Amino acid sequence: MGAHIVFLGPPGSGKGTQSVLLGKKLKVAHVNVGEMLREAIRTKSPVGVTAREYLDRGELVPDSLVIRLVGDLLSHPPASNGFILDGFPRTLLQAEELEKLLEGDGGKLRHAIYLRVSKEKVLDRLTLRLVCGACSAVYHQKYSPPREKGKCDACGGGLTGRNDDRPDVVARRLAIYEKESQPILDYYRKKGILREVDGNGRPEEVTRTLYEVVGVK
Ligand code: AMP
């Protein structure tokens, strides 16, 4: 049975960066729910048409929609050998539904990684974040700028700030995170699988701590 892992933490905590690295290290599928929704919006699929207004406002997409999306995905073979979920669960109901989905498959979550980051750090990271429109690579104007201004190092695509990284939308996203996250943390703490990782440091430092916590070299 492969590793089933979820990443928790506020927007800007480094979930995306760290979960991609861990997924490669463990050779398991990496699922980024926010990215799936942005892709659905880009292609104007029915899911995208519904999701768009929520993302624009910085609100959570309805549980029923994301649970269906994740359920479909996890039933596909690439995820059956384990997965890393980035950005799911974001509500207690999603956490409970995920457990049911896994039970149906004889699977179980091994780790719920909680990247703990101060609010100041989160604001600093989000407002200066740049994302590649072509390959979704993430940069930061101050801490990890691209070699050439406005251009992705990896694929040469154009870099822009995310629509929902505008200060008013960020404030809304953080308020929702603060309201929804505690019950999820309590839920996994009770199950004995919550792993707290200090996410305030430089990306390499956080990765080192993360690998120690999940027991990989
Ligand atoms: P992210 O890229 O993880 O910051 O997610 C971007 C946006 O996608 C969020 O602000 C929500 O609108 C939506 N979203 C992502 N994951 C979820 C989820 N598990 N439940 C509801 N909405 C989500």
Side-chain angles (χ1 to χ4, degrees), residues 121 124-125 140-145 202:
K121 199 100 210 173
D124 186 35
R125 286 183 185 169
H140 188 276
Q141 292 180 36
K142 209 159 67 185
Y143 306 128
S144 53
R202 296 166 55 80

mmCIF file of all heavy atoms in Angstrom, residues 121 124-125 140-145 202:
data_model
loop_
_atom_site.group_PDB
_atom_site.id
_atom_site.type_symbol
_atom_site.label_atom_id
_atom_site.label_comp_id
_atom_site.label_asym_id
_atom_site.label_seq_id
_atom_site.Cartn_x
_atom_site.Cartn_y
_atom_site.Cartn_z
ATOM 1 N N LYS A 121 4.348 36.267 7.546
ATOM 2 C CA LYS A 121 5.097 35.541 6.512
ATOM 3 C C LYS A 121 4.175 35.196 5.331
ATOM 4 O O LYS A 121 4.531 35.361 4.166
ATOM 5 C CB LYS A 121 5.610 34.253 7.150
ATOM 6 C CG LYS A 121 6.726 33.614 6.437
ATOM 7 C CD LYS A 121 8.027 33.938 7.102
ATOM 8 C CE LYS A 121 9.184 33.975 6.173
ATOM 9 N NZ LYS A 121 10.371 34.460 6.870
ATOM 10 N N ASP A 124 3.447 38.264 3.249
ATOM 11 C CA ASP A 124 4.636 38.619 2.494
ATOM 12 C C ASP A 124 4.789 37.692 1.281
ATOM 13 O O ASP A 124 5.071 38.126 0.164
ATOM 14 C CB ASP A 124 5.836 38.475 3.448
ATOM 15 C CG ASP A 124 7.113 38.962 2.828
ATOM 16 O OD1 ASP A 124 7.039 39.942 2.070
ATOM 17 O OD2 ASP A 124 8.171 38.371 3.089
ATOM 18 N N ARG A 125 4.558 36.399 1.518
ATOM 19 C CA ARG A 125 4.731 35.432 0.420
ATOM 20 C C ARG A 125 3.670 35.602 -0.663
ATOM 21 O O ARG A 125 3.969 35.553 -1.855
ATOM 22 C CB ARG A 125 4.651 34.003 0.963
ATOM 23 C CG ARG A 125 5.892 33.599 1.735
ATOM 24 C CD ARG A 125 5.777 32.167 2.182
ATOM 25 N NE ARG A 125 6.882 31.771 3.020
ATOM 26 C CZ ARG A 125 6.914 30.638 3.700
ATOM 27 N NH1 ARG A 125 5.902 29.799 3.633
ATOM 28 N NH2 ARG A 125 7.952 30.318 4.443
ATOM 29 N N HIS A 140 9.005 33.992 -6.270
ATOM 30 C CA HIS A 140 8.708 35.090 -5.354
ATOM 31 C C HIS A 140 9.602 36.253 -5.759
ATOM 32 O O HIS A 140 10.807 36.081 -5.969
ATOM 33 C CB HIS A 140 8.997 34.664 -3.915
ATOM 34 C CG HIS A 140 8.548 35.671 -2.912
ATOM 35 N ND1 HIS A 140 9.308 36.762 -2.563
ATOM 36 C CD2 HIS A 140 7.398 35.765 -2.197
ATOM 37 C CE1 HIS A 140 8.649 37.479 -1.667
ATOM 38 N NE2 HIS A 140 7.494 36.897 -1.430
ATOM 39 N N GLN A 141 8.998 37.445 -5.864
ATOM 40 C CA GLN A 141 9.749 38.587 -6.400
ATOM 41 C C GLN A 141 11.004 38.888 -5.597
ATOM 42 O O GLN A 141 11.998 39.359 -6.134
ATOM 43 C CB GLN A 141 8.853 39.819 -6.437
ATOM 44 C CG GLN A 141 7.742 39.691 -7.466
ATOM 45 C CD GLN A 141 6.859 40.915 -7.510
ATOM 46 O OE1 GLN A 141 7.326 42.022 -7.345
ATOM 47 N NE2 GLN A 141 5.566 40.710 -7.707
ATOM 48 N N LYS A 142 10.967 38.600 -4.294
ATOM 49 C CA LYS A 142 12.108 38.919 -3.437
ATOM 50 C C LYS A 142 12.964 37.684 -3.141
ATOM 51 O O LYS A 142 14.176 37.718 -3.278
ATOM 52 C CB LYS A 142 11.565 39.501 -2.123
ATOM 53 C CG LYS A 142 12.496 40.471 -1.443
ATOM 54 C CD LYS A 142 11.777 41.403 -0.468
ATOM 55 C CE LYS A 142 11.214 40.686 0.740
ATOM 56 N NZ LYS A 142 10.429 41.527 1.635
ATOM 57 N N TYR A 143 12.336 36.576 -2.732
ATOM 58 C CA TYR A 143 13.096 35.430 -2.217
ATOM 59 C C TYR A 143 13.535 34.423 -3.271
ATOM 60 O O TYR A 143 14.539 33.753 -3.104
ATOM 61 C CB TYR A 143 12.280 34.690 -1.149
ATOM 62 C CG TYR A 143 11.807 35.582 -0.048
ATOM 63 C CD1 TYR A 143 10.465 35.614 0.332
ATOM 64 C CD2 TYR A 143 12.701 36.432 0.605
ATOM 65 C CE1 TYR A 143 10.032 36.451 1.341
ATOM 66 C CE2 TYR A 143 12.276 37.273 1.615
ATOM 67 C CZ TYR A 143 10.933 37.281 1.970
ATOM 68 O OH TYR A 143 10.505 38.121 2.958
ATOM 69 N N SER A 144 12.752 34.269 -4.324
ATOM 70 C CA SER A 144 13.179 33.320 -5.366
ATOM 71 C C SER A 144 12.759 33.856 -6.728
ATOM 72 O O SER A 144 11.877 33.293 -7.394
ATOM 73 C CB SER A 144 12.582 31.930 -5.123
ATOM 74 O OG SER A 144 11.172 32.026 -4.985
ATOM 75 N N PRO A 145 13.386 34.991 -7.139
ATOM 76 C CA PRO A 145 13.003 35.602 -8.422
ATOM 77 C C PRO A 145 13.479 34.755 -9.602
ATOM 78 O O PRO A 145 14.440 33.997 -9.461
ATOM 79 C CB PRO A 145 13.741 36.951 -8.389
ATOM 80 C CG PRO A 145 14.878 36.762 -7.460
ATOM 81 C CD PRO A 145 14.479 35.701 -6.471
ATOM 82 N N ARG A 202 13.447 28.946 5.173
ATOM 83 C CA ARG A 202 13.674 28.893 3.725
ATOM 84 C C ARG A 202 13.177 27.538 3.202
ATOM 85 O O ARG A 202 13.171 26.553 3.942
ATOM 86 C CB ARG A 202 15.171 29.038 3.434
ATOM 87 C CG ARG A 202 15.737 30.396 3.852
ATOM 88 C CD ARG A 202 17.250 30.363 3.874
ATOM 89 N NE ARG A 202 17.771 29.912 2.586
ATOM 90 C CZ ARG A 202 17.884 30.692 1.508
ATOM 91 N NH1 ARG A 202 17.552 31.960 1.598
ATOM 92 N NH2 ARG A 202 18.337 30.225 0.379
#
